[in-house]
mmCIF file of all heavy atoms in Angstrom:
data_model
loop_
_atom_site.group_PDB
_atom_site.id
_atom_site.type_symbol
_atom_site.label_atom_id
_atom_site.label_comp_id
_atom_site.label_asym_id
_atom_site.label_seq_id
_atom_site.Cartn_x
_atom_site.Cartn_y
_atom_site.Cartn_z
ATOM 1 N N LYS A 1 0.813 -1.206 0.000
ATOM 2 C CA LYS A 1 0.000 0.000 0.000
ATOM 3 C C LYS A 1 0.853 1.265 0.000
ATOM 4 O O LYS A 1 0.455 2.297 -0.548
ATOM 5 C CB LYS A 1 -0.933 -0.011 1.218
ATOM 6 C CG LYS A 1 -2.029 -1.069 1.125
ATOM 7 C CD LYS A 1 -2.959 -1.031 2.314
ATOM 8 C CE LYS A 1 -4.042 -2.087 2.186
ATOM 9 N NZ LYS A 1 -4.954 -2.099 3.363
ATOM 10 N N GLU A 2 2.035 1.228 0.638
ATOM 11 C CA GLU A 2 2.915 2.402 0.646
ATOM 12 C C GLU A 2 3.453 2.618 -0.752
ATOM 13 O O GLU A 2 4.138 1.757 -1.308
ATOM 14 C CB GLU A 2 4.074 2.215 1.632
ATOM 15 C CG GLU A 2 3.632 2.035 3.076
ATOM 16 C CD GLU A 2 3.456 0.580 3.455
ATOM 17 O OE1 GLU A 2 3.219 -0.242 2.535
ATOM 18 O OE2 GLU A 2 3.548 0.264 4.638
ATOM 19 N N HIS A 3 3.175 3.792 -1.330
ATOM 20 C CA HIS A 3 3.474 4.021 -2.744
ATOM 21 C C HIS A 3 4.977 3.931 -3.037
ATOM 22 O O HIS A 3 5.377 3.454 -4.096
ATOM 23 C CB HIS A 3 2.930 5.382 -3.179
ATOM 24 C CG HIS A 3 2.895 5.564 -4.658
ATOM 25 N ND1 HIS A 3 2.282 4.660 -5.512
ATOM 26 C CD2 HIS A 3 3.418 6.530 -5.463
ATOM 27 C CE1 HIS A 3 2.415 5.068 -6.766
ATOM 28 N NE2 HIS A 3 3.092 6.188 -6.757
ATOM 29 N N ASN A 4 5.810 4.392 -2.108
ATOM 30 C CA ASN A 4 7.255 4.359 -2.375
ATOM 31 C C ASN A 4 7.846 2.960 -2.222
ATOM 32 O O ASN A 4 9.014 2.731 -2.511
ATOM 33 C CB ASN A 4 8.003 5.356 -1.474
ATOM 34 C CG ASN A 4 7.927 4.997 -0.006
ATOM 35 O OD1 ASN A 4 7.192 4.096 0.390
ATOM 36 N ND2 ASN A 4 8.687 5.704 0.814
ATOM 37 N N LYS A 5 6.999 1.996 -1.771
ATOM 38 C CA LYS A 5 7.442 0.601 -1.689
ATOM 39 C C LYS A 5 6.825 -0.251 -2.791
ATOM 40 O O LYS A 5 7.001 -1.458 -2.827
ATOM 41 C CB LYS A 5 7.075 0.006 -0.315
ATOM 42 C CG LYS A 5 7.790 0.667 0.856
ATOM 43 C CD LYS A 5 7.383 0.019 2.165
ATOM 44 C CE LYS A 5 8.077 0.686 3.349
ATOM 45 N NZ LYS A 5 7.657 0.079 4.638
ATOM 46 N N SER A 6 6.088 0.402 -3.673
ATOM 47 C CA SER A 6 5.371 -0.314 -4.732
ATOM 48 C C SER A 6 5.889 0.094 -6.100
ATOM 49 O O SER A 6 6.219 1.256 -6.329
ATOM 50 C CB SER A 6 3.869 0.018 -4.633
ATOM 51 O OG SER A 6 3.189 -0.405 -5.793
ATOM 52 N N PRO A 7 5.947 -0.849 -7.050
ATOM 53 C CA PRO A 7 6.379 -0.506 -8.409
ATOM 54 C C PRO A 7 5.273 0.144 -9.244
ATOM 55 O O PRO A 7 5.500 0.501 -10.395
ATOM 56 C CB PRO A 7 6.770 -1.869 -8.999
ATOM 57 C CG PRO A 7 5.865 -2.835 -8.304
ATOM 58 C CD PRO A 7 5.717 -2.297 -6.909
ATOM 59 N N LEU A 8 4.063 0.287 -8.673
ATOM 60 C CA LEU A 8 2.965 0.862 -9.445
ATOM 61 C C LEU A 8 3.192 2.342 -9.705
ATOM 62 O O LEU A 8 3.551 3.104 -8.814
ATOM 63 C CB LEU A 8 1.634 0.663 -8.700
ATOM 64 C CG LEU A 8 1.167 -0.783 -8.541
ATOM 65 C CD1 LEU A 8 -0.131 -0.833 -7.741
ATOM 66 C CD2 LEU A 8 0.976 -1.454 -9.901
ATOM 67 N N VAL A 9 2.965 2.751 -10.958
ATOM 68 C CA VAL A 9 3.205 4.132 -11.372
ATOM 69 C C VAL A 9 2.160 5.080 -10.793
ATOM 70 O O VAL A 9 2.482 6.154 -10.296
ATOM 71 C CB VAL A 9 3.235 4.230 -12.912
ATOM 72 C CG1 VAL A 9 3.234 5.685 -13.363
ATOM 73 C CG2 VAL A 9 4.467 3.506 -13.458
ATOM 74 N N PHE A 10 0.883 4.701 -10.865
ATOM 75 C CA PHE A 10 -0.185 5.561 -10.367
ATOM 76 C C PHE A 10 -0.394 5.318 -8.875
ATOM 77 O O PHE A 10 -0.563 4.169 -8.451
ATOM 78 C CB PHE A 10 -1.504 5.291 -11.099
ATOM 79 C CG PHE A 10 -1.413 5.358 -12.601
ATOM 80 C CD1 PHE A 10 -2.040 4.399 -13.388
ATOM 81 C CD2 PHE A 10 -0.703 6.368 -13.229
ATOM 82 C CE1 PHE A 10 -1.969 4.445 -14.774
ATOM 83 C CE2 PHE A 10 -0.624 6.432 -14.611
ATOM 84 C CZ PHE A 10 -1.254 5.461 -15.391
ATOM 85 N N GLU A 11 -0.432 6.381 -8.105
ATOM 86 C CA GLU A 11 -0.653 6.222 -6.672
ATOM 87 C C GLU A 11 -2.025 5.617 -6.404
ATOM 88 O O GLU A 11 -2.193 4.806 -5.492
ATOM 89 C CB GLU A 11 -0.528 7.574 -5.968
ATOM 90 C CG GLU A 11 -0.560 7.464 -4.469
ATOM 91 C CD GLU A 11 -0.083 8.712 -3.765
ATOM 92 O OE1 GLU A 11 0.301 9.673 -4.452
ATOM 93 O OE2 GLU A 11 -0.105 8.720 -2.519
ATOM 94 N N ASN A 12 -3.011 6.024 -7.207
ATOM 95 C CA ASN A 12 -4.352 5.432 -7.150
ATOM 96 C C ASN A 12 -4.654 4.781 -8.493
ATOM 97 O O ASN A 12 -4.313 5.338 -9.541
ATOM 98 C CB ASN A 12 -5.401 6.506 -6.849
ATOM 99 C CG ASN A 12 -5.176 7.171 -5.515
ATOM 100 O OD1 ASN A 12 -5.085 6.504 -4.486
ATOM 101 N ND2 ASN A 12 -5.042 8.489 -5.505
ATOM 102 N N TRP A 13 -5.291 3.612 -8.458
ATOM 103 C CA TRP A 13 -5.623 2.926 -9.704
ATOM 104 C C TRP A 13 -6.512 3.825 -10.562
ATOM 105 O O TRP A 13 -7.387 4.530 -10.049
ATOM 106 C CB TRP A 13 -6.331 1.599 -9.398
ATOM 107 C CG TRP A 13 -5.400 0.567 -8.810
ATOM 108 C CD1 TRP A 13 -4.781 0.637 -7.601
ATOM 109 C CD2 TRP A 13 -4.980 -0.647 -9.418
ATOM 110 N NE1 TRP A 13 -3.997 -0.473 -7.408
ATOM 111 C CE2 TRP A 13 -4.100 -1.287 -8.502
ATOM 112 C CE3 TRP A 13 -5.270 -1.276 -10.628
ATOM 113 C CZ2 TRP A 13 -3.497 -2.508 -8.774
ATOM 114 C CZ3 TRP A 13 -4.682 -2.512 -10.897
ATOM 115 C CH2 TRP A 13 -3.796 -3.110 -9.982
ATOM 116 N N LYS A 14 -6.279 3.810 -11.872
ATOM 117 C CA LYS A 14 -7.013 4.675 -12.801
ATOM 118 C C LYS A 14 -8.154 3.900 -13.472
ATOM 119 O O LYS A 14 -7.961 2.765 -13.929
ATOM 120 C CB LYS A 14 -6.081 5.192 -13.897
ATOM 121 C CG LYS A 14 -4.919 6.044 -13.400
ATOM 122 C CD LYS A 14 -5.338 7.461 -13.148
ATOM 123 C CE LYS A 14 -4.140 8.346 -12.857
ATOM 124 N NZ LYS A 14 -4.562 9.719 -12.517
ATOM 125 N N THR A 15 -9.312 4.556 -13.542
ATOM 126 C CA THR A 15 -10.420 3.998 -14.314
ATOM 127 C C THR A 15 -10.268 4.479 -15.747
ATOM 128 O O THR A 15 -10.189 5.689 -15.999
ATOM 129 C CB THR A 15 -11.779 4.462 -13.752
ATOM 130 O OG1 THR A 15 -11.879 4.035 -12.396
ATOM 131 C CG2 THR A 15 -12.926 3.865 -14.553
ATOM 132 N N VAL A 16 -10.175 3.548 -16.687
ATOM 133 C CA VAL A 16 -9.828 3.913 -18.063
ATOM 134 C C VAL A 16 -10.743 3.233 -19.077
ATOM 135 O O VAL A 16 -11.461 2.288 -18.764
ATOM 136 C CB VAL A 16 -8.365 3.530 -18.389
ATOM 137 C CG1 VAL A 16 -7.387 4.139 -17.396
ATOM 138 C CG2 VAL A 16 -8.187 2.009 -18.441
ATOM 139 N N LYS A 17 -10.660 3.742 -20.288
ATOM 140 C CA LYS A 17 -11.250 3.073 -21.442
ATOM 141 C C LYS A 17 -10.099 2.444 -22.215
ATOM 142 O O LYS A 17 -9.137 3.128 -22.569
ATOM 143 C CB LYS A 17 -11.985 4.083 -22.330
ATOM 144 C CG LYS A 17 -12.568 3.482 -23.601
ATOM 145 C CD LYS A 17 -13.288 4.547 -24.431
ATOM 146 C CE LYS A 17 -13.898 3.943 -25.687
ATOM 147 N NZ LYS A 17 -14.619 4.985 -26.489
ATOM 148 N N ILE A 18 -10.184 1.144 -22.456
ATOM 149 C CA ILE A 18 -9.132 0.425 -23.173
ATOM 150 C C ILE A 18 -9.547 0.227 -24.627
ATOM 151 O O ILE A 18 -10.651 -0.257 -24.907
ATOM 152 C CB ILE A 18 -8.843 -0.938 -22.511
ATOM 153 C CG1 ILE A 18 -8.241 -0.724 -21.118
ATOM 154 C CG2 ILE A 18 -7.905 -1.785 -23.369
ATOM 155 C CD1 ILE A 18 -7.930 -2.000 -20.385
ATOM 156 N N ASN A 19 -8.675 0.618 -25.536
ATOM 157 C CA ASN A 19 -8.920 0.461 -26.970
ATOM 158 C C ASN A 19 -8.008 -0.634 -27.523
ATOM 159 O O ASN A 19 -6.787 -0.559 -27.372
ATOM 160 C CB ASN A 19 -8.649 1.779 -27.706
ATOM 161 C CG ASN A 19 -9.500 2.916 -27.161
ATOM 162 O OD1 ASN A 19 -10.718 2.859 -27.199
ATOM 163 N ND2 ASN A 19 -8.844 3.937 -26.632
ATOM 164 N N LEU A 20 -8.609 -1.646 -28.104
ATOM 165 C CA LEU A 20 -7.841 -2.759 -28.655
ATOM 166 C C LEU A 20 -7.402 -2.476 -30.090
ATOM 167 O O LEU A 20 -7.976 -1.626 -30.775
ATOM 168 C CB LEU A 20 -8.666 -4.046 -28.612
ATOM 169 C CG LEU A 20 -9.214 -4.493 -27.260
ATOM 170 C CD1 LEU A 20 -9.882 -5.856 -27.387
ATOM 171 C CD2 LEU A 20 -8.130 -4.513 -26.196
ATOM 172 N N GLN A 21 -6.393 -3.203 -30.541
ATOM 173 C CA GLN A 21 -5.922 -3.083 -31.924
ATOM 174 C C GLN A 21 -7.035 -3.439 -32.909
ATOM 175 O O GLN A 21 -7.079 -2.923 -34.028
ATOM 176 C CB GLN A 21 -4.724 -4.017 -32.161
ATOM 177 C CG GLN A 21 -3.497 -3.704 -31.326
ATOM 178 C CD GLN A 21 -2.689 -2.541 -31.855
ATOM 179 O OE1 GLN A 21 -3.061 -1.905 -32.830
ATOM 180 N NE2 GLN A 21 -1.571 -2.257 -31.212
ATOM 181 N N SER A 22 -7.957 -4.276 -32.486
ATOM 182 C CA SER A 22 -9.055 -4.737 -33.359
ATOM 183 C C SER A 22 -10.127 -3.676 -33.577
ATOM 184 O O SER A 22 -10.997 -3.823 -34.425
ATOM 185 C CB SER A 22 -9.713 -5.981 -32.737
ATOM 186 O OG SER A 22 -10.332 -5.638 -31.501
ATOM 187 N N GLY A 23 -10.064 -2.588 -32.782
ATOM 188 C CA GLY A 23 -11.087 -1.554 -32.880
ATOM 189 C C GLY A 23 -12.114 -1.647 -31.757
ATOM 190 O O GLY A 23 -12.888 -0.710 -31.538
ATOM 191 N N GLU A 24 -12.145 -2.770 -31.045
ATOM 192 C CA GLU A 24 -13.050 -2.902 -29.896
ATOM 193 C C GLU A 24 -12.551 -2.037 -28.749
ATOM 194 O O GLU A 24 -11.362 -1.724 -28.651
ATOM 195 C CB GLU A 24 -13.102 -4.354 -29.426
ATOM 196 C CG GLU A 24 -13.818 -5.307 -30.358
ATOM 197 C CD GLU A 24 -13.826 -6.709 -29.760
ATOM 198 O OE1 GLU A 24 -12.830 -7.436 -29.947
ATOM 199 O OE2 GLU A 24 -14.816 -7.059 -29.093
ATOM 200 N N SER A 25 -13.470 -1.660 -27.850
ATOM 201 C CA SER A 25 -13.073 -0.904 -26.669
ATOM 202 C C SER A 25 -13.874 -1.362 -25.469
ATOM 203 O O SER A 25 -14.975 -1.906 -25.610
ATOM 204 C CB SER A 25 -13.258 0.601 -26.897
ATOM 205 O OG SER A 25 -14.620 0.906 -27.127
ATOM 206 N N PHE A 26 -13.300 -1.167 -24.286
ATOM 207 C CA PHE A 26 -13.939 -1.556 -23.034
ATOM 208 C C PHE A 26 -13.849 -0.393 -22.059
ATOM 209 O O PHE A 26 -12.773 0.173 -21.851
ATOM 210 C CB PHE A 26 -13.266 -2.795 -22.446
ATOM 211 C CG PHE A 26 -13.413 -4.021 -23.306
ATOM 212 C CD1 PHE A 26 -12.477 -4.310 -24.280
ATOM 213 C CD2 PHE A 26 -14.496 -4.866 -23.139
ATOM 214 C CE1 PHE A 26 -12.608 -5.436 -25.081
ATOM 215 C CE2 PHE A 26 -14.635 -5.994 -23.947
ATOM 216 C CZ PHE A 26 -13.695 -6.278 -24.917
ATOM 217 N N ASP A 27 -14.992 -0.036 -21.460
ATOM 218 C CA ASP A 27 -15.063 1.105 -20.549
ATOM 219 C C ASP A 27 -14.889 0.692 -19.095
ATOM 220 O O ASP A 27 -15.105 -0.464 -18.732
ATOM 221 C CB ASP A 27 -16.415 1.816 -20.684
ATOM 222 C CG ASP A 27 -16.510 2.625 -21.970
ATOM 223 O OD1 ASP A 27 -15.564 3.353 -22.288
ATOM 224 O OD2 ASP A 27 -17.532 2.493 -22.657
ATOM 225 N N SER A 28 -14.492 1.694 -18.293
ATOM 226 C CA SER A 28 -14.490 1.569 -16.828
ATOM 227 C C SER A 28 -13.683 0.379 -16.325
ATOM 228 O O SER A 28 -14.138 -0.406 -15.500
ATOM 229 C CB SER A 28 -15.935 1.474 -16.308
ATOM 230 O OG SER A 28 -16.670 2.602 -16.711
ATOM 231 N N ILE A 29 -12.458 0.252 -16.830
ATOM 232 C CA ILE A 29 -11.536 -0.790 -16.368
ATOM 233 C C ILE A 29 -10.519 -0.138 -15.430
ATOM 234 O O ILE A 29 -9.941 0.897 -15.754
ATOM 235 C CB ILE A 29 -10.801 -1.456 -17.543
ATOM 236 C CG1 ILE A 29 -11.792 -1.964 -18.599
ATOM 237 C CG2 ILE A 29 -9.925 -2.597 -17.040
ATOM 238 C CD1 ILE A 29 -12.769 -2.995 -18.107
ATOM 239 N N SER A 30 -10.312 -0.719 -14.257
ATOM 240 C CA SER A 30 -9.373 -0.183 -13.272
ATOM 241 C C SER A 30 -7.971 -0.744 -13.543
ATOM 242 O O SER A 30 -7.763 -1.957 -13.453
ATOM 243 C CB SER A 30 -9.837 -0.557 -11.864
ATOM 244 O OG SER A 30 -8.948 -0.043 -10.895
ATOM 245 N N VAL A 31 -7.019 0.137 -13.896
ATOM 246 C CA VAL A 31 -5.684 -0.326 -14.283
ATOM 247 C C VAL A 31 -4.590 0.453 -13.552
ATOM 248 O O VAL A 31 -4.820 1.510 -12.983
ATOM 249 C CB VAL A 31 -5.448 -0.200 -15.806
ATOM 250 C CG1 VAL A 31 -6.497 -0.951 -16.591
ATOM 251 C CG2 VAL A 31 -5.363 1.255 -16.238
ATOM 252 N N ASN A 32 -3.406 -0.117 -13.633
ATOM 253 C CA ASN A 32 -2.194 0.555 -13.174
ATOM 254 C C ASN A 32 -1.039 0.026 -14.009
ATOM 255 O O ASN A 32 -1.180 -1.003 -14.695
ATOM 256 C CB ASN A 32 -1.941 0.288 -11.685
ATOM 257 C CG ASN A 32 -1.323 1.486 -10.987
ATOM 258 O OD1 ASN A 32 -0.411 2.114 -11.516
ATOM 259 N ND2 ASN A 32 -1.830 1.794 -9.804
ATOM 260 N N ILE A 33 0.075 0.733 -13.981
ATOM 261 C CA ILE A 33 1.265 0.298 -14.704
ATOM 262 C C ILE A 33 2.294 -0.172 -13.696
ATOM 263 O O ILE A 33 2.618 0.549 -12.750
ATOM 264 C CB ILE A 33 1.858 1.451 -15.543
ATOM 265 C CG1 ILE A 33 0.862 1.903 -16.612
ATOM 266 C CG2 ILE A 33 3.182 1.030 -16.196
ATOM 267 C CD1 ILE A 33 1.282 3.171 -17.342
ATOM 268 N N ASP A 34 2.770 -1.394 -13.867
ATOM 269 C CA ASP A 34 3.888 -1.873 -13.071
ATOM 270 C C ASP A 34 5.147 -1.288 -13.710
ATOM 271 O O ASP A 34 5.596 -1.737 -14.769
ATOM 272 C CB ASP A 34 3.931 -3.409 -13.079
ATOM 273 C CG ASP A 34 4.988 -3.963 -12.143
ATOM 274 O OD1 ASP A 34 6.103 -3.406 -12.117
ATOM 275 O OD2 ASP A 34 4.706 -4.955 -11.450
ATOM 276 N N GLY A 35 5.681 -0.246 -13.089
ATOM 277 C CA GLY A 35 6.787 0.510 -13.692
ATOM 278 C C GLY A 35 8.113 -0.200 -13.665
ATOM 279 O O GLY A 35 9.053 0.226 -14.330
ATOM 280 N N GLN A 36 8.223 -1.277 -12.897
ATOM 281 C CA GLN A 36 9.464 -2.047 -12.884
ATOM 282 C C GLN A 36 9.454 -3.096 -13.987
ATOM 283 O O GLN A 36 10.448 -3.275 -14.690
ATOM 284 C CB GLN A 36 9.648 -2.716 -11.518
ATOM 285 C CG GLN A 36 10.828 -3.691 -11.484
ATOM 286 C CD GLN A 36 11.796 -3.401 -10.368
ATOM 287 O OE1 GLN A 36 12.058 -2.261 -10.025
ATOM 288 N NE2 GLN A 36 12.340 -4.454 -9.790
ATOM 289 N N LEU A 37 8.325 -3.772 -14.155
ATOM 290 C CA LEU A 37 8.222 -4.835 -15.155
ATOM 291 C C LEU A 37 7.710 -4.327 -16.506
ATOM 292 O O LEU A 37 7.720 -5.059 -17.488
ATOM 293 C CB LEU A 37 7.289 -5.944 -14.647
ATOM 294 C CG LEU A 37 7.703 -6.640 -13.348
ATOM 295 C CD1 LEU A 37 6.641 -7.651 -12.937
ATOM 296 C CD2 LEU A 37 9.061 -7.316 -13.513
ATOM 297 N N ASN A 38 7.238 -3.057 -16.534
ATOM 298 C CA ASN A 38 6.629 -2.507 -17.747
ATOM 299 C C ASN A 38 5.436 -3.359 -18.180
ATOM 300 O O ASN A 38 5.334 -3.789 -19.322
ATOM 301 C CB ASN A 38 7.651 -2.403 -18.885
ATOM 302 C CG ASN A 38 7.940 -0.950 -19.225
ATOM 303 O OD1 ASN A 38 7.108 -0.069 -19.010
ATOM 304 N ND2 ASN A 38 9.113 -0.697 -19.760
ATOM 305 N N LYS A 39 4.538 -3.608 -17.241
ATOM 306 C CA LYS A 39 3.342 -4.392 -17.508
ATOM 307 C C LYS A 39 2.114 -3.559 -17.144
ATOM 308 O O LYS A 39 2.135 -2.773 -16.190
ATOM 309 C CB LYS A 39 3.321 -5.682 -16.659
ATOM 310 C CG LYS A 39 4.530 -6.592 -16.855
ATOM 311 C CD LYS A 39 4.507 -7.296 -18.190
ATOM 312 C CE LYS A 39 5.631 -8.323 -18.299
ATOM 313 N NZ LYS A 39 5.664 -8.960 -19.633
ATOM 314 N N LEU A 40 1.038 -3.742 -17.906
ATOM 315 C CA LEU A 40 -0.237 -3.124 -17.575
ATOM 316 C C LEU A 40 -1.059 -4.151 -16.803
ATOM 317 O O LEU A 40 -1.275 -5.261 -17.276
ATOM 318 C CB LEU A 40 -0.973 -2.700 -18.845
ATOM 319 C CG LEU A 40 -2.280 -1.913 -18.645
ATOM 320 C CD1 LEU A 40 -1.998 -0.573 -17.985
ATOM 321 C CD2 LEU A 40 -2.995 -1.714 -19.971
ATOM 322 N N VAL A 41 -1.486 -3.783 -15.593
ATOM 323 C CA VAL A 41 -2.238 -4.715 -14.762
ATOM 324 C C VAL A 41 -3.615 -4.135 -14.458
ATOM 325 O O VAL A 41 -3.797 -2.916 -14.401
ATOM 326 C CB VAL A 41 -1.490 -5.044 -13.456
ATOM 327 C CG1 VAL A 41 -0.241 -5.851 -13.732
ATOM 328 C CG2 VAL A 41 -1.135 -3.771 -12.686
ATOM 329 N N ALA A 42 -4.587 -5.020 -14.275
ATOM 330 C CA ALA A 42 -5.965 -4.583 -14.052
ATOM 331 C C ALA A 42 -6.533 -5.228 -12.797
ATOM 332 O O ALA A 42 -6.172 -6.346 -12.430
ATOM 333 C CB ALA A 42 -6.828 -4.945 -15.257
ATOM 334 N N ASP A 43 -7.419 -4.484 -12.149
ATOM 335 C CA ASP A 43 -8.187 -5.013 -11.020
ATOM 336 C C ASP A 43 -9.648 -4.979 -11.455
ATOM 337 O O ASP A 43 -10.285 -3.937 -11.448
ATOM 338 C CB ASP A 43 -7.967 -4.141 -9.780
ATOM 339 C CG ASP A 43 -8.815 -4.590 -8.599
ATOM 340 O OD1 ASP A 43 -9.408 -5.687 -8.686
ATOM 341 O OD2 ASP A 43 -8.888 -3.844 -7.604
ATOM 342 N N PHE A 44 -10.171 -6.128 -11.868
ATOM 343 C CA PHE A 44 -11.532 -6.197 -12.387
ATOM 344 C C PHE A 44 -12.588 -6.266 -11.285
ATOM 345 O O PHE A 44 -13.772 -6.161 -11.554
ATOM 346 C CB PHE A 44 -11.686 -7.416 -13.303
ATOM 347 C CG PHE A 44 -11.010 -7.241 -14.632
ATOM 348 C CD1 PHE A 44 -9.769 -7.811 -14.866
ATOM 349 C CD2 PHE A 44 -11.606 -6.512 -15.640
ATOM 350 C CE1 PHE A 44 -9.139 -7.651 -16.095
ATOM 351 C CE2 PHE A 44 -10.985 -6.348 -16.864
ATOM 352 C CZ PHE A 44 -9.750 -6.918 -17.097
ATOM 353 N N GLY A 45 -12.152 -6.479 -10.040
ATOM 354 C CA GLY A 45 -13.134 -6.623 -8.977
ATOM 355 C C GLY A 45 -13.831 -7.967 -9.020
ATOM 356 O O GLY A 45 -14.797 -8.203 -8.303
ATOM 357 N N VAL A 46 -13.352 -8.860 -9.877
ATOM 358 C CA VAL A 46 -13.938 -10.199 -10.006
ATOM 359 C C VAL A 46 -13.070 -11.210 -9.264
ATOM 360 O O VAL A 46 -13.565 -12.126 -8.629
ATOM 361 C CB VAL A 46 -14.062 -10.592 -11.499
ATOM 362 C CG1 VAL A 46 -14.646 -11.986 -11.632
ATOM 363 C CG2 VAL A 46 -14.920 -9.578 -12.243
#
């Protein structure tokens, strides 16, 4: 939870719209960037 101990770029998870290469899009997805691994991670609440 401590931001300076976490590799996550955003201090708070961002609600975003994701646009796929196929042209499809998905709204209201909670994401963050793992700045150490360069990975996009999501918390779907599922």
Side-chain angles (χ1 to χ4, degrees):
K1 291 182 180 178
E2 299 92 336
H3 194 53
N4 65 351
K5 295 180 181 179
S6 167
L8 294 178
V9 170
F10 307 137
E11 188 165 359
N12 299 306
W13 289 66
K14 298 279 189 184
T15 301
V16 305
K17 177 180 181 179
I18 294 180
N19 302 299
L20 304 186
Q21 297 281 3
S22 65
E24 289 181 276
S25 62
F26 296 90
D27 286 314
S28 302
I29 307 299
S30 180
V31 303
N32 215 316
I33 297 171
D34 186 318
Q36 172 126 323
L37 300 177
N38 247 334
K39 303 288 187 183
L40 186 65
V41 292
D43 176 11
F44 286 100
V46 179

